[in-house]
Amino acid sequence: MLGAVSGLAACAEARLPAPPETAVADVRVLGIPNARFWLDRGNEALIEEAVQAEARAVAADPAARTAPVSFLAVSGGGDKGAFGAGLLCGWTEAGNRPAFRLVTGVSTGALIAPFAYLGPSRDADLRAVYTQVSPDDIYSARSMLAAVTSDAMSDTTPLFRLISKHVDDPMVADIAREYGRGRLLLIGTTNIDLQRPVLWNIGAIAASSKPGSVDLIRKVLLASAAIPGAFPPVLIDVESGGRTYQEMHVDGGAIGQMFLYPPSLNLGEETRRRGIHRQRTAYLIRNDRLDPRWADTNRQFLSIAQRAIDTMIHSSGVNDVYRIYATTQRDGVAFRLAYIGSDFPESQHAPFDRAFMNALFNDAYEKARNGYPWATVPPGFRPAG
């Protein structure tokens, strides 16, 4: 038996070496200098990207310099992404959904983000992704032996096919067009070799028209949704010093369930310094509940471990909401939050159960269509005064 396992392990897909830690600053992806940003070390490149985006927006429409702007951050949550999809589609029906200057996404939020970025014209596709899929459209389970000797419990080739169906050449061209108008689409992954968050500049990749850019965007979306252990990591080819390496990327939720922009970037200060004065609103869609959920946990290793992981993910999501709230309040950005309420009758269900996803989509859709009650502070928070 041990020999069989060793043989299977030997047949596992090999990877090229990871870039040396000393070469990280010089690594390039497809030769695109602004393809991504490191969220945990310096803001100069991200600030420059925002400055250039502002210049493109004003060039496209001079009134953009003082017009109000809206940002959108979409969180992880697996099949609960049906909430965010339903909310966006219902928001369109309400007639007051803004065109977001910035859209960010993590995990299932990364899959929603391109549709949200391109606006109501993509609502039909967004609805289909979150109401017409089944588990077979997301993953295929591996045998226990194969899972132990491989890189995950399942194979996400079906999800990559689904992403590729929608993220086609016309969609990438549309993303490039909107990037040219000064709008940004940023997707978060985790570089697991470095234990660092990566922010992918999807618009810049799309606008580069480099060979391989469409495939790179698809891989980034797949990586952002690659739950470690459950889904395989994604290997991304990079270059440094004339050599090719491979980085290993997993779910952006391994570091944060949601992001807007780094707290170290003082948006209010930066915009005032450049003479930009406008109203800004950040909309956050948390594809999960924010209240704890009771469960009678079995006294077994796997049950306890899974419950602990679920608790850590839940707490991470709550902490992200508070972090973003604190950042927006410092920077004078209006805060708006949507999340799955305790009134939604969430029952036990298999992952990506179509009936559950449709019920959640429809619940969020109806609430948004009738005017979603956006929270202006995180639940349980009491502002001073």
Short mmCIF file of all heavy atoms in Angstrom, two decimals, residues 283-346:
data_model
loop_
_atom_site.label_atom_id
_atom_site.label_comp_id
_atom_site.label_asym_id
_atom_site.label_seq_id
_atom_site.Cartn_x
_atom_site.Cartn_y
_atom_site.Cartn_z
N TYR A 283 -19.59 50.63 -1.06
CA TYR A 283 -20.61 49.61 -0.85
C TYR A 283 -19.90 48.27 -0.63
O TYR A 283 -19.04 47.87 -1.42
CB TYR A 283 -21.52 49.50 -2.07
CG TYR A 283 -22.38 50.73 -2.28
CD1 TYR A 283 -21.97 51.77 -3.11
CD2 TYR A 283 -23.62 50.85 -1.65
CE1 TYR A 283 -22.76 52.90 -3.31
CE2 TYR A 283 -24.42 51.98 -1.84
CZ TYR A 283 -23.98 52.99 -2.67
OH TYR A 283 -24.75 54.11 -2.86
N LEU A 284 -20.26 47.60 0.45
CA LEU A 284 -19.68 46.30 0.79
C LEU A 284 -20.78 45.24 0.72
O LEU A 284 -21.85 45.40 1.31
CB LEU A 284 -19.11 46.30 2.21
CG LEU A 284 -17.73 46.92 2.46
CD1 LEU A 284 -17.72 48.40 2.11
CD2 LEU A 284 -17.32 46.72 3.92
N ILE A 285 -20.51 44.16 0.00
CA ILE A 285 -21.42 43.02 -0.04
C ILE A 285 -20.73 41.84 0.62
O ILE A 285 -19.75 41.30 0.10
CB ILE A 285 -21.82 42.66 -1.48
CG1 ILE A 285 -22.55 43.82 -2.14
CG2 ILE A 285 -22.70 41.41 -1.49
CD1 ILE A 285 -22.94 43.56 -3.59
N ARG A 286 -21.21 41.48 1.80
CA ARG A 286 -20.67 40.34 2.54
C ARG A 286 -21.56 39.13 2.25
O ARG A 286 -22.72 39.10 2.67
CB ARG A 286 -20.63 40.65 4.04
CG ARG A 286 -20.22 39.47 4.91
CD ARG A 286 -18.81 39.02 4.65
NE ARG A 286 -18.44 37.87 5.48
CZ ARG A 286 -17.83 36.78 5.02
NH1 ARG A 286 -17.53 36.69 3.75
NH2 ARG A 286 -17.52 35.79 5.83
N ASN A 287 -21.02 38.17 1.52
CA ASN A 287 -21.80 37.00 1.12
C ASN A 287 -21.86 35.96 2.24
O ASN A 287 -21.45 34.80 2.07
CB ASN A 287 -21.19 36.39 -0.15
CG ASN A 287 -21.39 37.26 -1.36
OD1 ASN A 287 -22.52 37.61 -1.69
ND2 ASN A 287 -20.30 37.64 -2.01
N ASP A 288 -22.36 36.39 3.36
CA ASP A 288 -22.52 35.49 4.52
C ASP A 288 -23.26 36.27 5.59
O ASP A 288 -23.49 37.48 5.46
CB ASP A 288 -21.17 35.02 5.05
CG ASP A 288 -21.25 33.67 5.75
OD1 ASP A 288 -22.37 33.30 6.21
OD2 ASP A 288 -20.23 32.97 5.84
N ARG A 289 -23.60 35.58 6.64
CA ARG A 289 -24.16 36.25 7.81
C ARG A 289 -23.02 36.82 8.65
O ARG A 289 -21.87 36.41 8.52
CB ARG A 289 -24.99 35.26 8.64
CG ARG A 289 -26.29 34.87 7.96
CD ARG A 289 -26.96 33.70 8.61
NE ARG A 289 -27.19 33.83 10.04
CZ ARG A 289 -28.03 33.06 10.74
NH1 ARG A 289 -28.73 32.13 10.12
NH2 ARG A 289 -28.18 33.23 12.03
N LEU A 290 -23.36 37.77 9.49
CA LEU A 290 -22.36 38.36 10.39
C LEU A 290 -22.62 38.00 11.85
O LEU A 290 -21.85 38.37 12.72
CB LEU A 290 -22.32 39.88 10.21
CG LEU A 290 -21.73 40.36 8.88
CD1 LEU A 290 -21.78 41.87 8.79
CD2 LEU A 290 -20.28 39.88 8.73
N ASP A 291 -23.72 37.28 12.11
CA ASP A 291 -23.99 36.81 13.46
C ASP A 291 -23.53 35.36 13.59
O ASP A 291 -23.52 34.62 12.60
CB ASP A 291 -25.48 36.92 13.79
CG ASP A 291 -26.34 36.13 12.82
OD1 ASP A 291 -26.06 36.16 11.60
OD2 ASP A 291 -27.29 35.45 13.26
N PRO A 292 -23.10 34.93 14.77
CA PRO A 292 -22.65 33.54 14.94
C PRO A 292 -23.81 32.57 14.81
O PRO A 292 -24.96 32.91 15.10
CB PRO A 292 -22.07 33.53 16.36
CG PRO A 292 -22.74 34.67 17.05
CD PRO A 292 -22.98 35.71 16.01
N ARG A 293 -23.51 31.35 14.35
CA ARG A 293 -24.54 30.33 14.16
C ARG A 293 -24.26 29.14 15.08
O ARG A 293 -23.16 28.59 15.07
CB ARG A 293 -24.59 29.89 12.70
CG ARG A 293 -25.28 30.88 11.79
CD ARG A 293 -24.79 30.78 10.37
NE ARG A 293 -23.42 31.25 10.26
CZ ARG A 293 -22.75 31.30 9.12
NH1 ARG A 293 -23.30 30.89 8.02
NH2 ARG A 293 -21.51 31.75 9.09
N TRP A 294 -25.26 28.77 15.83
CA TRP A 294 -25.13 27.65 16.76
C TRP A 294 -25.07 26.33 16.01
O TRP A 294 -25.69 26.17 14.95
CB TRP A 294 -26.34 27.64 17.71
CG TRP A 294 -26.32 26.52 18.72
CD1 TRP A 294 -25.76 26.54 19.95
CD2 TRP A 294 -26.88 25.21 18.54
NE1 TRP A 294 -25.93 25.32 20.59
CE2 TRP A 294 -26.62 24.49 19.73
CE3 TRP A 294 -27.56 24.58 17.51
CZ2 TRP A 294 -27.03 23.18 19.92
CZ3 TRP A 294 -27.97 23.27 17.69
CH2 TRP A 294 -27.71 22.58 18.88
N ALA A 295 -24.30 25.38 16.54
CA ALA A 295 -24.27 24.03 15.99
C ALA A 295 -23.88 23.06 17.10
O ALA A 295 -23.07 23.40 17.97
CB ALA A 295 -23.29 23.92 14.83
N ASP A 296 -24.47 21.89 17.09
CA ASP A 296 -24.13 20.83 18.03
C ASP A 296 -22.98 20.04 17.42
O ASP A 296 -23.18 19.14 16.61
CB ASP A 296 -25.35 19.93 18.27
CG ASP A 296 -25.10 18.90 19.36
OD1 ASP A 296 -23.99 18.90 19.94
OD2 ASP A 296 -26.01 18.09 19.62
N THR A 297 -21.74 20.39 17.80
CA THR A 297 -20.56 19.82 17.16
C THR A 297 -20.24 18.44 17.72
O THR A 297 -20.16 18.25 18.94
CB THR A 297 -19.35 20.75 17.38
OG1 THR A 297 -19.68 22.07 16.93
CG2 THR A 297 -18.14 20.25 16.61
N ASN A 298 -20.06 17.48 16.81
CA ASN A 298 -19.69 16.14 17.24
C ASN A 298 -18.29 16.13 17.83
O ASN A 298 -17.40 16.85 17.37
CB ASN A 298 -19.73 15.16 16.05
CG ASN A 298 -21.14 14.92 15.54
OD1 ASN A 298 -22.09 15.00 16.31
ND2 ASN A 298 -21.27 14.66 14.25
N ARG A 299 -18.09 15.30 18.85
CA ARG A 299 -16.78 15.20 19.47
C ARG A 299 -15.90 14.25 18.66
O ARG A 299 -15.53 13.15 19.09
CB ARG A 299 -16.91 14.73 20.92
CG ARG A 299 -15.61 14.87 21.71
CD ARG A 299 -15.79 14.49 23.16
NE ARG A 299 -14.54 14.55 23.89
CZ ARG A 299 -14.39 14.23 25.16
NH1 ARG A 299 -15.45 13.84 25.88
NH2 ARG A 299 -13.22 14.31 25.75
N GLN A 300 -15.58 14.71 17.45
CA GLN A 300 -14.74 13.95 16.53
C GLN A 300 -13.76 14.91 15.88
O GLN A 300 -14.07 16.09 15.67
CB GLN A 300 -15.58 13.25 15.46
CG GLN A 300 -16.54 12.21 16.02
CD GLN A 300 -17.43 11.62 14.93
OE1 GLN A 300 -17.69 12.26 13.93
NE2 GLN A 300 -17.88 10.40 15.15
N PHE A 301 -12.60 14.38 15.52
CA PHE A 301 -11.53 15.23 14.99
C PHE A 301 -11.99 16.07 13.82
O PHE A 301 -11.82 17.30 13.81
CB PHE A 301 -10.34 14.35 14.58
CG PHE A 301 -9.34 15.06 13.72
CD1 PHE A 301 -8.51 16.04 14.25
CD2 PHE A 301 -9.23 14.77 12.36
CE1 PHE A 301 -7.59 16.72 13.46
CE2 PHE A 301 -8.32 15.44 11.56
CZ PHE A 301 -7.50 16.41 12.11
N LEU A 302 -12.56 15.45 12.78
CA LEU A 302 -12.92 16.19 11.58
C LEU A 302 -14.00 17.22 11.86
O LEU A 302 -13.96 18.34 11.34
CB LEU A 302 -13.37 15.22 10.48
CG LEU A 302 -12.27 14.36 9.85
CD1 LEU A 302 -12.85 13.41 8.82
CD2 LEU A 302 -11.20 15.24 9.20
N SER A 303 -14.98 16.87 12.69
CA SER A 303 -16.06 17.81 13.02
C SER A 303 -15.53 19.02 13.77
O SER A 303 -15.89 20.16 13.47
CB SER A 303 -17.13 17.11 13.86
OG SER A 303 -17.76 16.08 13.13
N ILE A 304 -14.64 18.78 14.73
CA ILE A 304 -14.08 19.88 15.52
C ILE A 304 -13.20 20.76 14.64
O ILE A 304 -13.26 22.00 14.69
CB ILE A 304 -13.29 19.33 16.72
CG1 ILE A 304 -14.24 18.60 17.68
CG2 ILE A 304 -12.54 20.45 17.44
CD1 ILE A 304 -13.53 17.82 18.77
N ALA A 305 -12.36 20.13 13.79
CA ALA A 305 -11.48 20.90 12.91
C ALA A 305 -12.30 21.75 11.95
O ALA A 305 -11.98 22.94 11.73
CB ALA A 305 -10.55 19.96 12.15
N GLN A 306 -13.35 21.16 11.35
CA GLN A 306 -14.16 21.91 10.40
C GLN A 306 -14.88 23.06 11.08
O GLN A 306 -14.96 24.17 10.55
CB GLN A 306 -15.19 20.99 9.73
CG GLN A 306 -16.02 21.68 8.66
CD GLN A 306 -15.16 22.23 7.53
OE1 GLN A 306 -14.42 21.48 6.89
NE2 GLN A 306 -15.25 23.53 7.28
N ARG A 307 -15.37 22.81 12.28
CA ARG A 307 -16.07 23.88 13.01
C ARG A 307 -15.10 25.01 13.36
O ARG A 307 -15.46 26.20 13.30
CB ARG A 307 -16.69 23.30 14.29
CG ARG A 307 -17.52 24.28 15.11
CD ARG A 307 -18.73 24.77 14.35
NE ARG A 307 -19.59 25.57 15.22
CZ ARG A 307 -20.60 26.30 14.80
NH1 ARG A 307 -20.90 26.34 13.51
NH2 ARG A 307 -21.34 27.00 15.64
N ALA A 308 -13.87 24.65 13.72
CA ALA A 308 -12.88 25.67 14.05
C ALA A 308 -12.52 26.50 12.82
O ALA A 308 -12.41 27.72 12.89
CB ALA A 308 -11.63 25.02 14.63
N ILE A 309 -12.37 25.84 11.66
CA ILE A 309 -12.07 26.56 10.43
C ILE A 309 -13.23 27.49 10.07
O ILE A 309 -13.02 28.65 9.71
CB ILE A 309 -11.78 25.57 9.29
CG1 ILE A 309 -10.46 24.83 9.55
CG2 ILE A 309 -11.73 26.29 7.94
CD1 ILE A 309 -10.20 23.67 8.62
N ASP A 310 -14.45 26.99 10.17
CA ASP A 310 -15.63 27.82 9.89
C ASP A 310 -15.67 29.04 10.80
O ASP A 310 -16.02 30.15 10.37
CB ASP A 310 -16.91 27.02 10.08
CG ASP A 310 -17.10 25.96 8.99
OD1 ASP A 310 -16.41 26.04 7.96
OD2 ASP A 310 -17.93 25.05 9.19
N THR A 311 -15.30 28.85 12.06
CA THR A 311 -15.30 29.95 13.02
C THR A 311 -14.24 31.00 12.66
O THR A 311 -14.49 32.20 12.73
CB THR A 311 -15.04 29.42 14.44
OG1 THR A 311 -16.07 28.48 14.78
CG2 THR A 311 -15.05 30.55 15.46
N MET A 312 -13.06 30.53 12.25
CA MET A 312 -12.00 31.46 11.86
C MET A 312 -12.41 32.26 10.62
O MET A 312 -12.17 33.48 10.55
CB MET A 312 -10.70 30.70 11.60
CG MET A 312 -10.01 30.22 12.87
SD MET A 312 -8.36 29.53 12.58
CE MET A 312 -8.78 27.98 11.81
N ILE A 313 -13.03 31.60 9.65
CA ILE A 313 -13.47 32.29 8.44
C ILE A 313 -14.54 33.32 8.78
O ILE A 313 -14.52 34.46 8.29
CB ILE A 313 -13.99 31.28 7.40
CG1 ILE A 313 -12.83 30.43 6.88
CG2 ILE A 313 -14.68 32.00 6.25
CD1 ILE A 313 -13.27 29.28 5.99
N HIS A 314 -15.48 32.92 9.63
CA HIS A 314 -16.54 33.85 10.04
C HIS A 314 -15.95 35.07 10.74
O HIS A 314 -16.30 36.22 10.42
CB HIS A 314 -17.51 33.13 10.98
CG HIS A 314 -18.49 34.04 11.64
ND1 HIS A 314 -19.61 34.52 11.01
CD2 HIS A 314 -18.51 34.59 12.88
CE1 HIS A 314 -20.29 35.32 11.82
NE2 HIS A 314 -19.64 35.37 12.97
N SER A 315 -15.04 34.83 11.66
CA SER A 315 -14.44 35.94 12.41
C SER A 315 -13.61 36.83 11.50
O SER A 315 -13.61 38.06 11.65
CB SER A 315 -13.56 35.39 13.54
OG SER A 315 -14.33 34.64 14.46
N SER A 316 -12.91 36.23 10.52
CA SER A 316 -12.14 37.02 9.56
C SER A 316 -13.05 37.95 8.79
O SER A 316 -12.73 39.12 8.57
CB SER A 316 -11.39 36.08 8.60
OG SER A 316 -10.76 36.81 7.57
N GLY A 317 -14.21 37.45 8.38
CA GLY A 317 -15.16 38.28 7.64
C GLY A 317 -15.66 39.45 8.46
O GLY A 317 -15.78 40.57 7.96
N VAL A 318 -15.97 39.20 9.72
CA VAL A 318 -16.43 40.27 10.61
C VAL A 318 -15.32 41.30 10.79
O VAL A 318 -15.56 42.52 10.73
CB VAL A 318 -16.88 39.70 11.97
CG1 VAL A 318 -17.20 40.82 12.95
CG2 VAL A 318 -18.10 38.79 11.78
N ASN A 319 -14.10 40.83 11.02
CA ASN A 319 -12.97 41.74 11.22
C ASN A 319 -12.72 42.60 9.98
O ASN A 319 -12.39 43.79 10.10
CB ASN A 319 -11.71 40.94 11.56
CG ASN A 319 -11.78 40.28 12.92
OD1 ASN A 319 -12.57 40.70 13.77
ND2 ASN A 319 -11.00 39.25 13.13
N ASP A 320 -12.89 42.01 8.80
CA ASP A 320 -12.70 42.78 7.56
C ASP A 320 -13.70 43.93 7.48
O ASP A 320 -13.35 45.04 7.06
CB ASP A 320 -12.87 41.87 6.33
CG ASP A 320 -11.72 40.90 6.17
OD1 ASP A 320 -10.63 41.19 6.67
OD2 ASP A 320 -11.94 39.84 5.55
N VAL A 321 -14.94 43.66 7.85
CA VAL A 321 -15.97 44.71 7.82
C VAL A 321 -15.58 45.86 8.73
O VAL A 321 -15.68 47.04 8.36
CB VAL A 321 -17.35 44.13 8.20
CG1 VAL A 321 -18.36 45.26 8.44
CG2 VAL A 321 -17.86 43.20 7.11
N TYR A 322 -15.13 45.55 9.94
CA TYR A 322 -14.74 46.60 10.89
C TYR A 322 -13.50 47.35 10.41
O TYR A 322 -13.40 48.57 10.58
CB TYR A 322 -14.49 45.99 12.27
CG TYR A 322 -15.75 45.91 13.11
CD1 TYR A 322 -16.60 44.81 13.01
CD2 TYR A 322 -16.10 46.94 13.97
CE1 TYR A 322 -17.77 44.74 13.76
CE2 TYR A 322 -17.25 46.88 14.73
CZ TYR A 322 -18.08 45.77 14.61
OH TYR A 322 -19.24 45.72 15.35
N ARG A 323 -12.55 46.63 9.81
CA ARG A 323 -11.34 47.29 9.29
C ARG A 323 -11.69 48.27 8.19
O ARG A 323 -11.21 49.42 8.18
CB ARG A 323 -10.36 46.22 8.77
CG ARG A 323 -9.18 46.80 8.02
CD ARG A 323 -8.20 45.71 7.60
NE ARG A 323 -8.84 44.56 7.02
CZ ARG A 323 -9.30 44.50 5.76
NH1 ARG A 323 -9.17 45.56 4.98
NH2 ARG A 323 -9.86 43.40 5.30
N ILE A 324 -12.54 47.84 7.27
CA ILE A 324 -12.93 48.73 6.17
C ILE A 324 -13.74 49.90 6.70
O ILE A 324 -13.59 51.05 6.24
CB ILE A 324 -13.72 47.95 5.10
CG1 ILE A 324 -12.80 46.90 4.45
CG2 ILE A 324 -14.27 48.89 4.04
CD1 ILE A 324 -13.52 45.96 3.50
N TYR A 325 -14.60 49.65 7.68
CA TYR A 325 -15.38 50.75 8.27
C TYR A 325 -14.46 51.80 8.88
O TYR A 325 -14.62 53.01 8.64
CB TYR A 325 -16.32 50.21 9.34
CG TYR A 325 -17.09 51.29 10.07
CD1 TYR A 325 -18.14 51.96 9.44
CD2 TYR A 325 -16.76 51.66 11.37
CE1 TYR A 325 -18.85 52.96 10.10
CE2 TYR A 325 -17.45 52.66 12.03
CZ TYR A 325 -18.50 53.30 11.39
OH TYR A 325 -19.18 54.30 12.05
N ALA A 326 -13.46 51.34 9.64
CA ALA A 326 -12.54 52.29 10.27
C ALA A 326 -11.79 53.09 9.21
O ALA A 326 -11.58 54.31 9.36
CB ALA A 326 -11.55 51.54 11.17
N THR A 327 -11.39 52.44 8.14
CA THR A 327 -10.65 53.13 7.07
C THR A 327 -11.52 54.16 6.37
O THR A 327 -11.09 55.29 6.13
CB THR A 327 -10.14 52.10 6.04
OG1 THR A 327 -9.33 51.11 6.71
CG2 THR A 327 -9.30 52.78 4.98
N THR A 328 -12.75 53.79 6.06
CA THR A 328 -13.64 54.74 5.37
C THR A 328 -13.98 55.93 6.24
O THR A 328 -14.07 57.07 5.75
CB THR A 328 -14.94 54.06 4.91
OG1 THR A 328 -15.62 53.48 6.04
CG2 THR A 328 -14.66 52.97 3.89
N GLN A 329 -14.16 55.71 7.54
CA GLN A 329 -14.49 56.83 8.42
C GLN A 329 -13.33 57.81 8.54
O GLN A 329 -13.52 59.02 8.56
CB GLN A 329 -14.89 56.31 9.81
CG GLN A 329 -16.14 55.44 9.80
CD GLN A 329 -17.28 56.08 9.04
OE1 GLN A 329 -17.90 57.04 9.51
NE2 GLN A 329 -17.58 55.56 7.85
N ARG A 330 -12.13 57.29 8.57
CA ARG A 330 -10.95 58.16 8.60
C ARG A 330 -10.85 58.99 7.33
O ARG A 330 -10.46 60.17 7.37
CB ARG A 330 -9.69 57.30 8.75
CG ARG A 330 -8.38 58.09 8.76
CD ARG A 330 -7.20 57.20 8.46
NE ARG A 330 -7.26 56.67 7.09
CZ ARG A 330 -6.48 55.68 6.65
NH1 ARG A 330 -5.58 55.11 7.44
NH2 ARG A 330 -6.60 55.25 5.38
N ASP A 331 -11.22 58.38 6.19
CA ASP A 331 -11.00 59.01 4.88
C ASP A 331 -12.21 59.77 4.36
O ASP A 331 -12.18 60.26 3.22
CB ASP A 331 -10.58 57.95 3.87
CG ASP A 331 -9.23 57.33 4.20
OD1 ASP A 331 -8.51 57.91 5.03
OD2 ASP A 331 -8.90 56.28 3.63
N GLY A 332 -13.28 59.85 5.15
CA GLY A 332 -14.46 60.60 4.71
C GLY A 332 -15.23 59.91 3.60
O GLY A 332 -15.85 60.57 2.75
N VAL A 333 -15.20 58.59 3.59
CA VAL A 333 -15.94 57.81 2.60
C VAL A 333 -17.20 57.25 3.26
O VAL A 333 -17.12 56.61 4.31
CB VAL A 333 -15.08 56.65 2.05
CG1 VAL A 333 -15.85 55.82 1.04
CG2 VAL A 333 -13.78 57.17 1.45
N ALA A 334 -18.36 57.48 2.66
CA ALA A 334 -19.60 56.95 3.20
C ALA A 334 -19.58 55.43 3.16
O ALA A 334 -19.13 54.83 2.18
CB ALA A 334 -20.80 57.50 2.43
N PHE A 335 -20.09 54.79 4.21
CA PHE A 335 -20.03 53.35 4.38
C PHE A 335 -21.42 52.75 4.21
O PHE A 335 -22.38 53.19 4.85
CB PHE A 335 -19.49 53.04 5.79
CG PHE A 335 -19.43 51.58 6.16
CD1 PHE A 335 -18.30 50.83 5.90
CD2 PHE A 335 -20.51 50.97 6.80
CE1 PHE A 335 -18.23 49.49 6.26
CE2 PHE A 335 -20.45 49.63 7.17
CZ PHE A 335 -19.31 48.89 6.90
N ARG A 336 -21.54 51.74 3.34
CA ARG A 336 -22.80 51.03 3.12
C ARG A 336 -22.51 49.54 3.10
O ARG A 336 -21.63 49.08 2.37
CB ARG A 336 -23.45 51.46 1.81
CG ARG A 336 -23.74 52.96 1.70
CD ARG A 336 -24.86 53.38 2.65
NE ARG A 336 -25.19 54.80 2.49
CZ ARG A 336 -24.66 55.78 3.20
NH1 ARG A 336 -23.74 55.49 4.13
NH2 ARG A 336 -25.01 57.03 3.00
N LEU A 337 -23.26 48.78 3.88
CA LEU A 337 -22.99 47.36 4.05
C LEU A 337 -24.25 46.53 3.84
O LEU A 337 -25.31 46.84 4.37
CB LEU A 337 -22.45 47.10 5.46
CG LEU A 337 -22.33 45.64 5.91
CD1 LEU A 337 -21.27 44.90 5.09
CD2 LEU A 337 -22.01 45.56 7.41
N ALA A 338 -24.11 45.46 3.05
CA ALA A 338 -25.17 44.47 2.87
C ALA A 338 -24.63 43.10 3.27
O ALA A 338 -23.47 42.78 3.00
CB ALA A 338 -25.64 44.44 1.42
N TYR A 339 -25.45 42.30 3.93
CA TYR A 339 -25.04 40.96 4.33
C TYR A 339 -26.28 40.09 4.51
O TYR A 339 -27.41 40.60 4.58
CB TYR A 339 -24.23 41.00 5.63
CG TYR A 339 -24.92 41.66 6.80
CD1 TYR A 339 -25.62 40.92 7.74
CD2 TYR A 339 -24.88 43.05 6.96
CE1 TYR A 339 -26.26 41.53 8.82
CE2 TYR A 339 -25.52 43.67 8.03
CZ TYR A 339 -26.21 42.90 8.94
OH TYR A 339 -26.84 43.51 10.00
N ILE A 340 -26.07 38.79 4.55
CA ILE A 340 -27.19 37.87 4.70
C ILE A 340 -27.74 38.01 6.11
O ILE A 340 -27.02 37.82 7.10
CB ILE A 340 -26.76 36.42 4.44
CG1 ILE A 340 -26.20 36.29 3.02
CG2 ILE A 340 -27.93 35.46 4.62
CD1 ILE A 340 -25.61 34.93 2.69
N GLY A 341 -29.01 38.33 6.21
CA GLY A 341 -29.63 38.55 7.51
C GLY A 341 -30.01 37.26 8.21
O GLY A 341 -30.15 36.20 7.58
N SER A 342 -30.19 37.35 9.50
CA SER A 342 -30.59 36.17 10.28
C SER A 342 -32.01 35.74 9.95
O SER A 342 -32.45 34.66 10.36
CB SER A 342 -30.46 36.47 11.78
OG SER A 342 -31.25 37.61 12.12
N ASP A 343 -32.74 36.58 9.19
CA ASP A 343 -34.11 36.23 8.82
C ASP A 343 -34.15 35.24 7.65
O ASP A 343 -35.20 34.65 7.37
CB ASP A 343 -34.90 37.49 8.45
CG ASP A 343 -34.28 38.25 7.28
OD1 ASP A 343 -33.04 38.23 7.17
OD2 ASP A 343 -35.02 38.88 6.52
N PHE A 344 -33.01 35.07 6.96
CA PHE A 344 -33.01 34.10 5.85
C PHE A 344 -32.95 32.70 6.43
O PHE A 344 -32.05 32.37 7.20
CB PHE A 344 -31.83 34.33 4.91
CG PHE A 344 -31.79 33.37 3.76
CD1 PHE A 344 -32.68 33.49 2.72
CD2 PHE A 344 -30.88 32.32 3.76
CE1 PHE A 344 -32.66 32.59 1.66
CE2 PHE A 344 -30.86 31.41 2.71
CZ PHE A 344 -31.74 31.55 1.66
N PRO A 345 -33.90 31.82 6.05
CA PRO A 345 -33.97 30.48 6.66
C PRO A 345 -32.90 29.55 6.10
O PRO A 345 -33.16 28.71 5.25
CB PRO A 345 -35.37 30.02 6.27
CG PRO A 345 -35.67 30.72 4.99
CD PRO A 345 -34.99 32.05 5.09
N GLU A 346 -31.68 29.72 6.56
CA GLU A 346 -30.57 28.90 6.07
C GLU A 346 -30.63 27.51 6.69
O GLU A 346 -30.58 27.35 7.91
CB GLU A 346 -29.24 29.55 6.40
CG GLU A 346 -28.05 28.78 5.87
CD GLU A 346 -26.73 29.47 6.21
OE1 GLU A 346 -26.76 30.64 6.61
OE2 GLU A 346 -25.69 28.82 6.06
#
